[in-house]
Amino acid sequence: MKVAIIGTGYVGLTTAVVLAYLNHDVAAVDKDESKLNLLQEGKSPIHEPGIQSLLEEVQHTIRFTPSVAEVVPEAELILIAVGTPPKKNGEADTRHVEQAAREVAEVCLPDRHYTLVVKSTVPIGTNRRVVEVVEDVFSARGVRGNISVASNPEFLQEGLALQGAFYPDRIVVGANSDEAIDTLRHLYQPILEQTFDPPSEFPRPAAYHLPPMMTTDPSSAEMIKYAANTFLALKISFINEIAGLCEEVDADVTEVARGIGLDARIGSQFLRAGLGWGGSCYPKDTAALLRVAAQSGYEMPITEAARTVNFRQRERIVEKLHGTLGTLKGKTIGVLGLAFKPNTDDVREAPALDIIRELIATGATVRAHDPIAIPNAQAALHRENTTTPELQFTEDVYELSYDADALVLVTEWDFYHKLELRKLAKQMKTPILIDGRNVYSPEEARVAGFHYIGIGRV
Ligand code: UDX
């Protein structure tokens, strides 16, 4: 099938590469010149496990262009995967989605049928708005075009994006037109029936079951995306709230999570207590959902609380440092991990950045490390002028710990699991380890010489 994808961010690029791998004829459009140059040279602009090699493998069925007009007329299906950045009030800005729809309607051929699919995460009602935009363009052009609009939310997790795209739990389609549903079913057939040969880096999981394609109305599809993200976000916040109480009563939250997770109604996933969620989705989507609610005069105290608990986790880390070191002025704190989660270089809404800002504000010196996210963290902090001599970045964890007063583990990279704790502890001024992701066994860390402080455990 001839597919045009507008936007080559995490969602657009992952989708483009996977559809090309499934032998669809894919053209991806992006206006960002530097991104486009990289893609045209066959290089991925994002760090995502497996994407570079897959991009090389699908060179013959994928192309990248800045021009909607060049690819849309001949496409059968067009996916909009542009960003919906937050406005100041938290509302998701759908300007780029509407603009993409407008451009599509301007260049499509009046005598052909197209399916236009919104994949970006958008406020409920955007699908209806896209239909209006398309109709306005058709009436301005004086043509009776034939575009069916559908919503197909994306549930990819950074760091696991390709795994999730090849082996999703479900595919959700919101559409009022049978033609659009049929086209999407055809597009995803190799995934729905698992008829493709798995890429060597992404073997089919042994226990994987064929995923259902759920069809519903567009507004419900849009709501499913927000509700799913908010539910996952509050599941994490819930365990973090329990973790705080565990600290008060000498219980161990990792044991509590194990115990409640064994209840099939609760499930064991997303119960890892720690520094909470960051990234491009949960913070933005929970805020956008609250805006949608506020516009209807509806209160969502559970969603509000999930956010409060989440951002409090970052403050609690600094409080833990105060609790052990007293004043932080003049103290040297090593921060391990800058990305919002492992296996990505994404630092959007990363807990590490808030913690660094707070530590610098209290007069501490910060040495920060990350296996790959240092350039992005530097750029983000530079943009807001948080660059001072008191903030240093290093690629050597052992150098970072030398003479330091405390270490804070923020991102649970595999790399940190393998550190020589004894060597680290030995060269620190005071061997304090705040394990913000409960990566280490408290006993092991203590035997290595650390004063160990985890989240919600003694
Ligand atoms: C999320 C959703 O999982 C995905 O379906 C949606 O499309 C986009 O948002 P992502 O933000 O990439 O994906 O990562 P995810 O793995 O969900 O983790 C989000 C954050 O929660 C990370 O900061 C992670 O460290 C944190 N987290 C996750 C926890 O603190 N505890 C957990 O148990 C799980």
Side-chain angles (χ1 to χ4, degrees):
M1 185 183 296
K2 273 192 186 306
V3 183
I5 299 181
I6 305 179
T8 62
Y10 275 93
V11 171
L13 185 58
T14 305
T15 309
V17 168
V18 168
L19 292 179
Y21 183 83
L22 300 176
N23 280 325
H24 292 300
D25 181 351
V26 177
V29 183
D30 206 296
K31 289 182 177 157
D32 182 326
E33 212 178 309
S34 56
K35 220 188 231 182
L36 207 58
N37 287 342
L38 280 174
L39 288 166
Q40 283 169 339
E41 286 168 25
K43 293 184 191 137
S44 169
I46 58 169
H47 179 94
E48 178 61 40
I51 201 143
Q52 182 57 46
S53 53
L54 217 59
L55 190 58
E56 285 160 23
E57 200 174 330
V58 299
Q59 281 300 307
H60 55 290
T61 43
I62 200 166
R63 71 196 152 109
F64 298 96
T65 162
S67 164
V68 168
E70 187 189 311
V71 298
V72 162
E74 64 185 33
E76 186 177 339
L77 183 133
I78 302 130
L79 291 162
I80 298 180
V82 295
T84 50
K87 294 184 189 171
K88 276 214 167 66
N89 63 4
E91 195 181 329
D93 189 346
T94 57
R95 220 175 330 163
H96 302 302
V97 173
E98 291 184 28
Q99 179 59 20
R102 204 168 289 121
E103 288 178 28
V104 168
E106 275 161 4
V107 300
C108 68
L109 307 174
D111 54 348
R112 282 192 56 176
H113 174 260
Y114 299 89
T115 299
L116 177 60
V117 180
V118 181
K119 226 177 189 346
S120 309
T121 300
V122 289
I124 297 93
T126 304
N127 185 293
R128 255 198 316 268
R129 177 74 199 120
V130 166
V131 172
E132 283 167 16
V133 166
V134 166
E135 278 167 5
D136 286 351
V137 174
F138 285 163
S139 79
R141 283 178 67 190
V143 296
R144 268 176 62 94
N146 191 2
I147 292 186
S148 313
V149 179
S151 291
N152 171 216
E154 174 56 55
F155 301 101
L156 75 76
Q157 275 176 276
E158 286 183 29
L160 298 167
L162 290 165
Q163 181 75 16
F166 283 116
Y167 311 111
D169 286 346
R170 79 304 206 184
I171 290 174
V172 174
V173 170
N176 294 318
S177 127
D178 288 344
E179 223 167 343
I181 294 172
D182 288 346
T183 309
L184 278 160
R185 198 182 298 283
H186 181 53
L187 178 81
Y188 288 125
Q189 198 162 12
I191 290 175
L192 293 169
E193 294 174 8
Q194 291 290 306
T195 46
F196 62 91
D197 288 331
S200 52
E201 278 188 69
F202 299 100
R204 189 169 291 127
Y208 184 66
H209 294 291
L210 294 184
M213 178 168 127
M214 172 190 163
T215 57
T216 182
D217 62 280
S219 295
S220 300
E222 290 167 336
M223 182 60 111
I224 285 168
K225 171 68 195 212
Y226 278 121
N229 271 0
T230 302
F231 187 81
L232 292 169
L234 73 90
K235 197 170 178 191
I236 300 166
S237 284
F238 173 78
I239 200 68
N240 280 333
E241 185 169 277
I242 293 291
L245 188 56
C246 283
E247 288 172 12
E248 299 299 322
V249 298
D250 286 353
D252 183 331
V253 75
T254 58
E255 290 298 297
V256 177
R258 195 157 66 95
I260 63 173
L262 286 168
D263 184 326
R265 293 169 302 175
I266 296 174
S268 60
Q269 294 193 56
F270 279 65
L271 284 178
R272 275 179 285 117
L275 264 161
W277 33 270
S280 66
C281 291
Y282 298 154
K284 171 168 140 338
D285 294 350
T286 49
L289 188 65
L290 287 173
R291 282 303 303 166
V292 172
Q295 280 159 3
S296 310
Y298 184 73
E299 289 181 8
M300 299 190 78
I302 295 179
T303 307
E304 300 261 14
R307 288 177 60 82
T308 306
V309 169
N310 188 63
F311 297 117
R312 202 175 61 191
Q313 291 303 96
R314 303 172 185 195
E315 293 162 17
R316 286 174 66 94
I317 285 287
V318 180
E319 285 162 18
K320 282 176 195 275
L321 281 170
H322 275 296
T324 46
L325 284 170
T327 176
L328 298 181
K329 202 168 164 46
K331 302 276 163 61
T332 299
I333 313 296
V335 170
L336 299 179
L338 295 162
F340 84 95
K341 63 185 278 193
N343 301 320
T344 176
D345 61 354
D346 196 342
V347 298
R348 284 177 289 177
E349 302 277 345
L353 300 192
D354 269 350
I355 291 168
I356 289 173
R357 288 181 193 108
E358 187 56 30
L359 290 174
I360 296 289
T362 56
T365 293
V366 175
R367 293 188 200 140
H369 173 273
D370 191 281
I372 58 169
I374 290 179
N376 281 351
Q378 272 173 321
L381 293 167
H382 188 71
R383 274 196 296 276
E384 59 182 64
N385 292 327
T386 311
T387 37
T388 79
E390 280 69 47
L391 173 57
Q392 300 142 19
F393 294 91
T394 169
E395 286 175 9
D396 183 341
V397 174
Y398 297 98
E399 185 185 305
L400 169 145
S401 65
Y402 183 76
D403 228 17
D405 293 280
L407 292 184
V408 182
L409 184 132
V410 180
T411 317
E412 65 277 35
W413 284 97
D414 263 355
F415 175 80
Y416 298 139
H417 292 235
K418 297 169 196 144
L419 291 176
E420 286 179 57
L421 292 185
R422 196 178 290 276
K423 184 172 164 191
L424 285 177
K426 220 172 179 173
Q427 57 182 17
M428 291 175 66
K429 193 183 282 169
T430 43
I432 295 166
L433 174 59
I434 313 256
D435 183 357
R437 298 289 179 181
N438 290 343
V439 161
Y440 303 108
S441 114
E443 203 191 317
E444 194 190 327
R446 283 173 193 140
V447 168
F450 273 111
H451 171 50
Y452 176 89
I453 302 171
I455 306 287
R457 53 186 188 168
V458 279

